Amino acid sequence: MKRLALGLILLAPLPVLAAGLPALTLTPAAGGGQTWSVSLQVLAVMTFLTLLPGVLLAMTSFTRIVIVLAILRQALGTGQTPSAQILAGMALLLTLFVMGPVLERINADALQPYLKDELAFPEAAQKAAAPLRQFMLAQTRESDIATFARIAGKEPSFESPDAVPFTLLMAAFVTSELKTAFQIGFLLFVPFVVIDLVVASVLMSLGMMMLSPMIISLPFKIMLFVLVDGWSLVLGTLAGSFYR
C-alpha cells in the first residue's frame, strides 16, 4: 500500500503536464510560415541563456579584451592584483560599450519587431545574426577563414562574405581575436621588460645579485603606468581597435 501511495503521489503531476502539452504545438502563419507558442518561446529563451557564456566568448569583443587585461597584469608583475573578477568585470563593461552599436541594431531590426509580432522568430533570428556577422567579419582575418574552410573540407575562397557559414566564421573570429590580443599584449609587455632589464643591470653592477630585480622594478613599473594614465590609455586603445 505504501508503494502504491508513493506511486500515486509521483504520478499526480502527470495530468498537469499533459494539460500543458498543447503549448508545444506550432500554429500555421500567413505565407506558409509557422508561429511558435509562448511556452516554447520561453523555452528557447532559457536555452539561449545557458549558451550565453559561449556566445559572449565566440561572437563578441570580450575575448580580446580579457586576454589583453590579463597580459597587462602579468607584465606589471602585480600577481593577483587586480583580481580575475575585477578584470572580468572591466572586460564585460568594455564589451558592452564596444558592442553597443551592434546591440542597438539587433534591438531595432530584430527584437522590437519580434516583440510587436511584426516578425516571426526565424526571421527575427536571421536579422539579429546580420549585425553580428558584419562585426565578426570586420575583425576576422581572411587567412583564418581559409584555414577553417580547409579544415571543414570546403573551398578556401567564398563568393561573398555572406557565403561564409556562421559556425566557420565563429571559429575564425575567435582565432583572429587570439592573435590580435597577443599582438597587443606583446606591445604592452615591451616597456615593462625594458624596466626589468635596466633594474637588473643596475643591481648586478652594484653587486646586489641576491636582491630580486622584481622587487625593485615593481614600484617603477607601477609609477610609470600611473603617470601615463595607463588604464584609460589601454582601455581606450582596446575599444578603438575594433573600429579602426
Side-chain angles (χ1 to χ4, degrees):
M1 293 296 294
K2 292 182 178 180
R3 292 183 179 179
L4 180 59
L6 181 60
L8 292 175
I9 293 174
L10 293 176
L11 294 176
L14 288 181
V16 178
L17 295 177
L21 286 178
L24 300 178
T25 57
L26 299 176
T27 304
Q34 291 179 332
T35 303
W36 293 11
S37 62
V38 175
S39 299
L40 194 56
Q41 293 172 7
V42 172
L43 179 62
V45 171
M46 296 301 296
T47 303
F48 174 76
L49 291 178
T50 60
L51 301 176
L52 189 58
V55 172
L56 184 66
L57 294 175
M59 291 190 290
T60 68
S61 59
F62 181 83
T63 299
R64 181 192 304 186
I65 296 170
V66 75
I67 289 177
V68 170
L69 293 180
I71 293 176
L72 174 61
R73 183 179 65 177
Q74 185 71 23
L76 283 170
T78 55
Q80 297 299 317
T81 304
S83 64
Q85 291 82 358
I86 294 177
L87 292 183
M90 292 175 59
L92 184 59
L93 288 174
L94 189 58
T95 299
L96 292 177
F97 284 108
V98 171
M99 301 298 296
V102 178
L103 296 177
E104 289 177 0
R105 285 189 56 191
I106 293 175
N107 180 63
D109 298 343
L111 182 59
Q112 292 302 323
Y114 173 70
L115 294 178
K116 295 177 182 178
D117 294 331
E118 297 175 359
L119 287 176
F121 183 80
E123 297 175 354
Q126 291 180 357
K127 287 186 174 294
L132 280 175
R133 173 184 286 273
Q134 184 178 357
F135 171 80
M136 293 164 66
L137 282 171
Q139 311 302 325
T140 305
R141 295 174 174 84
E142 294 182 2
S143 59
D144 293 326
I145 295 178
T147 298
F148 282 96
R150 286 192 294 268
I151 293 175
K154 300 180 180 180
E155 292 293 331
S157 60
F158 295 93
E159 297 179 356
S160 64
D162 294 335
V164 180
F166 204 83
T167 54
L168 190 150
L169 178 60
M170 284 194 297
F173 171 75
V174 173
T175 304
S176 294
E177 288 294 282
L178 291 175
K179 289 181 181 179
T180 305
F182 276 91
Q183 289 174 353
I184 298 175
F186 170 77
L187 296 177
L188 289 175
F189 234 108
V190 170
F192 299 111
V193 171
V194 171
I195 294 176
D196 288 334
L197 291 175
V198 171
V199 171
S201 300
V202 172
L203 291 178
M204 289 185 65
S205 64
L206 295 176
M208 299 180 180
M209 299 181 183
M210 301 301 294
L211 183 61
S212 174
M214 295 296 296
I215 299 177
I216 305 301
S217 64
L218 179 58
F220 290 99
K221 291 191 288 187
I222 294 177
M223 180 182 65
L224 174 65
F225 193 69
V226 171
L227 288 178
V228 300
D229 196 11
W231 288 113
S232 297
L233 186 61
V234 170
L235 296 178
T237 303
L238 269 176
S241 66
F242 291 95
Y243 296 101
R244 58 187 182 276

